Amino acid sequence: MIDIASPLRLRLDSAALVHNWRWLAERSGPAACGAAVKADGYGLGAGAIVRHLAAAGCRHFFVATWAEAAALMPLPAGVSLSVLHGVGVTDMVAARTLPARPVLASVEQVARWRAAGEGRPCDVMVDTGMNRLGLRVEEALNGALDGLGIVNLLSHLASADEDSAQNAAQLAAFRAVRSEIPAQRYSLANSAGICLGPDYAFDLTRPGLALYGGLPRGEAAGQIRQVAYPEARVLQVRTVPAGETVGYGATWTALRSTRVAVANLGYADGYLRCHAGTGGATWEGRALPLIGRVSMDLTAFDASAAEEIGEGDWLALDYDLPTTAAATGLSQYELLTGLGARFARM
Ligand SMILES: *Cc1c(COP(=O)(O)O)cnc(C)c1O
């Protein structure tokens, strides 16, 4: 077999990942702390994330779809997996076969699960105000769930990253559901919800973003460590004479003769054009600002501070999530999940 090395790699700092999970677990108080690993572990590689977190003691994982669940098999011993989108018409075979539970998210899904006659345990999502997925509170309280073996009863916060009155309203609605519907565990908080305090933790928390280095709210500042380090190889280094321009649209002009490093990286890799103007990279501690536009597969960096850089060297992209989100207007979630398939996950 030919070994073809990718010119893009995404380094996962597993010690930082485990550090972030432990901090979130501590903030969750007596509640168990799970992990949302949907969208391939927010783009970082769900298999590796599950292995590292399971080894650290995490027992409850959440994916969006059955395809994502199947990709995680076999699961580490003692770990449970829930599928947030529940069971659609075409999901029943997977739901019957795989060792994972659906999070039933509508009256129709509950009926579908009952009709399959499985009698197997399930999770349930109740909507407390987000109006995205979940049975309405009145549906849940009017008998729709009677007799189901519910392991985790979930709801999801819509505005936990803000100081919004919606948080307390959802908390009150969830408590009302909890007092009526029996389940083994109750779970409301995502990363930002954990920061809202112990009232929101119940029995099980479900962080995603903060595990991967995102800052969900100010309370977590200084506690959460960067986990994802994207790196791109230099394809060539050229000297651009004073007065000449670089890239599409000629948006950058060399004021003096300038060394320019052209990297194997572009918007097709999820490094979007909005990085232009603020993006950058480092090489051996030296800063290389992005210059000109981001192309599909290529991006140029001013290597004035790194005269010795050459073809084949690795540039570490500036990718601290809160800083990069503020600079680009992308969300921290988009910055993680947008990183493309050409990155080799390490
Ligand atoms: C994605 C998701 C989470 C994790 O949210 P973060 O904001 O990334 O912490 C938790 N619960 C549900 C239902 C989700 O869809």
Side-chain angles (χ1 to χ4, degrees), residues 35-38 42 62-64 84-85 103 125 132-133 154-157 187-194 205-212 216 333:
V37 296
K38 61 200 186 196
Y42 287 43
F62 297 86
V63 291
L84 289 164
H85 292 187
V103 182
M125 174 71 75
R132 196 179 60 171
L133 286 183
L154 280 60
S155 191
H156 193 48
L157 295 164
S187 175
L188 179 62
N190 61 347
S191 302
I194 292 171
T205 58
R206 314 184 302 268
L209 181 72
L211 292 171
Y212 309 117
Y333 299 86

Short mmCIF file of all heavy atoms in Angstrom, two decimals, residues 35-38 42 62-64 84-85 103 125 132-133 154-157 187-194 205-212 216 333, ligand 1:
data_model
loop_
_atom_site.label_atom_id
_atom_site.label_comp_id
_atom_site.label_asym_id
_atom_site.label_seq_id
_atom_site.Cartn_x
_atom_site.Cartn_y
_atom_site.Cartn_z
N ALA A 35 -20.88 13.37 27.61
CA ALA A 35 -20.19 14.09 26.53
C ALA A 35 -21.00 14.00 25.25
O ALA A 35 -21.43 12.91 24.86
CB ALA A 35 -18.80 13.49 26.31
N ALA A 36 -21.21 15.14 24.62
CA ALA A 36 -21.82 15.17 23.28
C ALA A 36 -20.70 14.98 22.26
O ALA A 36 -19.75 15.77 22.22
CB ALA A 36 -22.53 16.51 23.06
N VAL A 37 -20.81 13.89 21.47
CA VAL A 37 -19.78 13.58 20.47
C VAL A 37 -20.39 13.52 19.07
O VAL A 37 -19.85 12.89 18.18
CB VAL A 37 -19.04 12.27 20.81
CG1 VAL A 37 -18.28 12.40 22.12
CG2 VAL A 37 -19.99 11.08 20.88
N LYS A 38 -21.51 14.20 18.90
CA LYS A 38 -22.14 14.26 17.57
C LYS A 38 -21.21 14.97 16.59
O LYS A 38 -20.23 15.61 17.01
CB LYS A 38 -23.47 15.01 17.69
CG LYS A 38 -23.32 16.44 18.17
CD LYS A 38 -24.63 16.98 18.73
CE LYS A 38 -24.47 18.45 19.06
NZ LYS A 38 -25.55 18.94 19.93
N TYR A 42 -17.56 16.86 17.21
CA TYR A 42 -17.39 18.26 16.83
C TYR A 42 -16.22 18.42 15.84
O TYR A 42 -15.49 19.41 15.87
CB TYR A 42 -17.19 19.15 18.06
CG TYR A 42 -18.46 19.36 18.89
CD1 TYR A 42 -19.31 18.31 19.18
CD2 TYR A 42 -18.78 20.61 19.40
CE1 TYR A 42 -20.46 18.49 19.93
CE2 TYR A 42 -19.93 20.82 20.17
CZ TYR A 42 -20.76 19.74 20.43
OH TYR A 42 -21.89 19.93 21.17
N PHE A 62 -23.41 11.04 23.64
CA PHE A 62 -24.56 11.44 22.82
C PHE A 62 -24.10 11.72 21.40
O PHE A 62 -23.19 12.53 21.18
CB PHE A 62 -25.21 12.70 23.40
CG PHE A 62 -25.79 12.48 24.78
CD1 PHE A 62 -24.98 12.63 25.91
CD2 PHE A 62 -27.11 12.10 24.95
CE1 PHE A 62 -25.49 12.40 27.19
CE2 PHE A 62 -27.63 11.88 26.22
CZ PHE A 62 -26.82 12.03 27.34
N VAL A 63 -24.75 11.05 20.43
CA VAL A 63 -24.54 11.37 19.01
C VAL A 63 -25.87 11.85 18.44
O VAL A 63 -26.92 11.75 19.11
CB VAL A 63 -24.04 10.14 18.22
CG1 VAL A 63 -22.62 9.76 18.61
CG2 VAL A 63 -24.99 8.96 18.39
N ALA A 64 -25.85 12.36 17.21
CA ALA A 64 -27.08 12.86 16.60
C ALA A 64 -27.83 11.74 15.89
O ALA A 64 -29.06 11.64 15.99
CB ALA A 64 -26.77 14.00 15.62
N LEU A 84 -29.57 11.33 19.68
CA LEU A 84 -30.40 12.50 19.97
C LEU A 84 -31.56 12.69 18.99
O LEU A 84 -32.57 13.27 19.34
CB LEU A 84 -29.53 13.76 19.98
CG LEU A 84 -28.58 13.90 21.17
CD1 LEU A 84 -27.52 14.95 20.90
CD2 LEU A 84 -29.36 14.24 22.44
N HIS A 85 -31.42 12.21 17.76
CA HIS A 85 -32.51 12.43 16.80
C HIS A 85 -33.60 11.37 16.89
O HIS A 85 -34.55 11.40 16.11
CB HIS A 85 -31.96 12.54 15.38
CG HIS A 85 -31.13 13.77 15.16
ND1 HIS A 85 -30.64 14.16 13.94
CD2 HIS A 85 -30.70 14.73 16.03
CE1 HIS A 85 -29.94 15.29 14.06
NE2 HIS A 85 -29.96 15.64 15.33
N VAL A 103 -33.20 8.76 21.71
CA VAL A 103 -33.81 9.82 22.53
C VAL A 103 -35.11 10.17 21.81
O VAL A 103 -35.10 10.95 20.85
CB VAL A 103 -32.89 11.06 22.64
CG1 VAL A 103 -33.55 12.11 23.53
CG2 VAL A 103 -31.52 10.67 23.20
N MET A 125 -36.74 13.13 24.99
CA MET A 125 -36.51 14.58 25.00
C MET A 125 -37.86 15.28 25.16
O MET A 125 -38.80 15.01 24.42
CB MET A 125 -35.85 15.01 23.67
CG MET A 125 -35.68 16.50 23.47
SD MET A 125 -34.42 17.26 24.53
CE MET A 125 -32.91 16.70 23.73
N ARG A 132 -37.54 22.87 19.10
CA ARG A 132 -36.72 22.25 18.07
C ARG A 132 -37.04 20.76 18.06
O ARG A 132 -37.76 20.29 17.20
CB ARG A 132 -35.24 22.54 18.35
CG ARG A 132 -34.35 22.30 17.17
CD ARG A 132 -32.89 22.62 17.48
NE ARG A 132 -32.37 21.80 18.58
CZ ARG A 132 -31.09 21.78 18.92
NH1 ARG A 132 -30.21 22.53 18.28
NH2 ARG A 132 -30.68 21.02 19.92
N LEU A 133 -36.56 20.01 19.04
CA LEU A 133 -36.92 18.61 19.17
C LEU A 133 -37.54 18.39 20.54
O LEU A 133 -37.20 19.06 21.50
CB LEU A 133 -35.68 17.71 19.05
CG LEU A 133 -35.04 17.49 17.68
CD1 LEU A 133 -33.87 16.52 17.83
CD2 LEU A 133 -36.04 16.98 16.68
N LEU A 154 -34.53 14.05 29.01
CA LEU A 154 -33.73 15.21 28.64
C LEU A 154 -34.60 16.41 28.30
O LEU A 154 -35.74 16.26 27.83
CB LEU A 154 -32.91 14.91 27.37
CG LEU A 154 -31.61 14.12 27.46
CD1 LEU A 154 -31.83 12.75 28.03
CD2 LEU A 154 -30.98 14.02 26.08
N SER A 155 -34.04 17.60 28.49
CA SER A 155 -34.52 18.78 27.80
C SER A 155 -33.27 19.60 27.46
O SER A 155 -32.17 19.28 27.93
CB SER A 155 -35.50 19.58 28.65
OG SER A 155 -36.13 20.56 27.85
N HIS A 156 -33.43 20.59 26.61
CA HIS A 156 -32.25 21.31 26.11
C HIS A 156 -32.47 22.82 26.24
O HIS A 156 -33.55 23.31 25.91
CB HIS A 156 -32.00 20.92 24.65
CG HIS A 156 -30.66 21.33 24.11
ND1 HIS A 156 -29.48 21.10 24.79
CD2 HIS A 156 -30.32 21.95 22.96
CE1 HIS A 156 -28.47 21.56 24.05
NE2 HIS A 156 -28.95 22.09 22.95
N LEU A 157 -31.45 23.52 26.72
CA LEU A 157 -31.55 24.97 26.96
C LEU A 157 -31.28 25.75 25.67
O LEU A 157 -30.31 25.47 24.95
CB LEU A 157 -30.54 25.38 28.03
CG LEU A 157 -30.79 24.79 29.43
CD1 LEU A 157 -29.55 24.95 30.31
CD2 LEU A 157 -32.01 25.44 30.07
N SER A 187 -31.75 15.21 32.83
CA SER A 187 -30.59 15.87 32.25
C SER A 187 -31.01 17.10 31.45
O SER A 187 -31.84 17.00 30.54
CB SER A 187 -29.85 14.88 31.33
OG SER A 187 -28.79 15.52 30.65
N LEU A 188 -30.44 18.26 31.81
CA LEU A 188 -30.83 19.51 31.16
C LEU A 188 -29.64 20.28 30.58
O LEU A 188 -29.76 20.93 29.56
CB LEU A 188 -31.55 20.40 32.20
CG LEU A 188 -32.02 21.78 31.75
CD1 LEU A 188 -33.05 21.67 30.62
CD2 LEU A 188 -32.62 22.57 32.92
N ALA A 189 -28.47 20.23 31.24
CA ALA A 189 -27.42 21.21 30.95
C ALA A 189 -26.44 20.76 29.87
O ALA A 189 -25.88 19.66 29.93
CB ALA A 189 -26.64 21.52 32.23
N ASN A 190 -26.19 21.63 28.91
CA ASN A 190 -25.05 21.53 27.99
C ASN A 190 -23.88 22.28 28.63
O ASN A 190 -23.91 22.59 29.83
CB ASN A 190 -25.43 22.11 26.62
CG ASN A 190 -25.80 23.58 26.71
OD1 ASN A 190 -26.00 24.12 27.79
ND2 ASN A 190 -25.89 24.24 25.57
N SER A 191 -22.83 22.59 27.86
CA SER A 191 -21.66 23.29 28.44
C SER A 191 -22.06 24.57 29.15
O SER A 191 -21.69 24.80 30.31
CB SER A 191 -20.66 23.65 27.33
OG SER A 191 -20.23 22.51 26.64
N ALA A 192 -22.82 25.42 28.46
CA ALA A 192 -23.20 26.71 29.05
C ALA A 192 -24.12 26.49 30.25
O ALA A 192 -24.03 27.21 31.25
CB ALA A 192 -23.86 27.59 28.00
N GLY A 193 -24.98 25.48 30.17
CA GLY A 193 -25.89 25.18 31.27
C GLY A 193 -25.14 24.78 32.54
O GLY A 193 -25.55 25.11 33.65
N ILE A 194 -24.02 24.08 32.38
CA ILE A 194 -23.20 23.70 33.54
C ILE A 194 -22.70 24.97 34.24
O ILE A 194 -22.67 25.06 35.46
CB ILE A 194 -22.03 22.81 33.09
CG1 ILE A 194 -22.55 21.45 32.63
CG2 ILE A 194 -21.01 22.63 34.23
CD1 ILE A 194 -21.51 20.56 31.96
N THR A 205 -25.08 15.74 33.11
CA THR A 205 -24.86 16.89 32.23
C THR A 205 -24.31 16.40 30.88
O THR A 205 -23.77 15.31 30.78
CB THR A 205 -23.90 17.91 32.87
OG1 THR A 205 -22.66 17.25 33.16
CG2 THR A 205 -24.49 18.49 34.14
N ARG A 206 -24.46 17.25 29.85
CA ARG A 206 -24.12 16.83 28.48
C ARG A 206 -23.29 17.89 27.77
O ARG A 206 -23.73 18.49 26.81
CB ARG A 206 -25.39 16.61 27.66
CG ARG A 206 -26.49 15.83 28.32
CD ARG A 206 -27.65 15.61 27.35
NE ARG A 206 -28.22 16.83 26.83
CZ ARG A 206 -29.26 17.49 27.37
NH1 ARG A 206 -29.85 17.04 28.46
NH2 ARG A 206 -29.69 18.59 26.81
N PRO A 207 -22.08 18.16 28.24
CA PRO A 207 -21.27 19.18 27.56
C PRO A 207 -20.76 18.69 26.20
O PRO A 207 -20.52 17.50 26.01
CB PRO A 207 -20.10 19.39 28.52
CG PRO A 207 -19.94 18.08 29.21
CD PRO A 207 -21.34 17.53 29.36
N GLY A 208 -20.61 19.64 25.29
CA GLY A 208 -19.94 19.38 24.02
C GLY A 208 -18.84 20.41 23.85
O GLY A 208 -17.67 20.17 24.15
N LEU A 209 -19.24 21.60 23.44
CA LEU A 209 -18.30 22.67 23.08
C LEU A 209 -17.13 22.85 24.04
O LEU A 209 -15.97 22.93 23.62
CB LEU A 209 -19.08 24.00 22.99
CG LEU A 209 -18.23 25.21 22.60
CD1 LEU A 209 -17.83 25.13 21.14
CD2 LEU A 209 -18.98 26.51 22.88
N ALA A 210 -17.41 22.93 25.35
CA ALA A 210 -16.34 23.21 26.31
C ALA A 210 -15.33 22.07 26.40
O ALA A 210 -14.16 22.30 26.72
CB ALA A 210 -16.92 23.54 27.68
N LEU A 211 -15.77 20.84 26.12
CA LEU A 211 -14.82 19.73 26.10
C LEU A 211 -13.72 19.99 25.07
O LEU A 211 -12.57 19.63 25.26
CB LEU A 211 -15.52 18.43 25.70
CG LEU A 211 -16.53 17.82 26.65
CD1 LEU A 211 -17.24 16.67 25.95
CD2 LEU A 211 -15.82 17.34 27.90
N TYR A 212 -14.15 20.61 23.96
CA TYR A 212 -13.26 20.74 22.81
C TYR A 212 -12.54 22.09 22.77
O TYR A 212 -12.00 22.47 21.74
CB TYR A 212 -14.07 20.51 21.53
CG TYR A 212 -14.88 19.22 21.61
CD1 TYR A 212 -16.27 19.23 21.58
CD2 TYR A 212 -14.23 18.01 21.78
CE1 TYR A 212 -17.00 18.06 21.69
CE2 TYR A 212 -14.95 16.82 21.90
CZ TYR A 212 -16.34 16.86 21.85
OH TYR A 212 -17.05 15.69 21.98
N PRO A 216 -18.01 28.54 26.72
CA PRO A 216 -19.47 28.68 26.62
C PRO A 216 -20.00 29.93 27.30
O PRO A 216 -20.96 30.52 26.85
CB PRO A 216 -19.99 27.43 27.31
CG PRO A 216 -18.91 27.02 28.26
CD PRO A 216 -17.62 27.47 27.66
N TYR A 333 -18.59 26.75 17.46
CA TYR A 333 -19.07 25.46 16.96
C TYR A 333 -18.72 25.30 15.48
O TYR A 333 -18.30 24.23 15.03
CB TYR A 333 -20.59 25.36 17.11
CG TYR A 333 -21.10 25.44 18.53
CD1 TYR A 333 -21.34 26.67 19.13
CD2 TYR A 333 -21.36 24.29 19.25
CE1 TYR A 333 -21.82 26.75 20.42
CE2 TYR A 333 -21.84 24.35 20.54
CZ TYR A 333 -22.07 25.59 21.13
OH TYR A 333 -22.55 25.66 22.42
C1 LIG B 1 -25.14 19.45 21.10
C2 LIG B 1 -25.95 19.17 22.30
C3 LIG B 1 -25.38 19.27 23.58
C4 LIG B 1 -23.99 19.85 23.82
O1 LIG B 1 -24.09 21.26 23.69
P1 LIG B 1 -22.82 22.24 23.86
O2 LIG B 1 -23.40 23.60 23.73
O3 LIG B 1 -21.90 21.92 22.73
O4 LIG B 1 -22.23 21.96 25.17
C5 LIG B 1 -26.14 18.85 24.65
N1 LIG B 1 -27.40 18.40 24.48
C6 LIG B 1 -28.00 18.33 23.27
C7 LIG B 1 -29.40 17.84 23.16
C8 LIG B 1 -27.30 18.73 22.14
O5 LIG B 1 -27.89 18.68 20.94
#
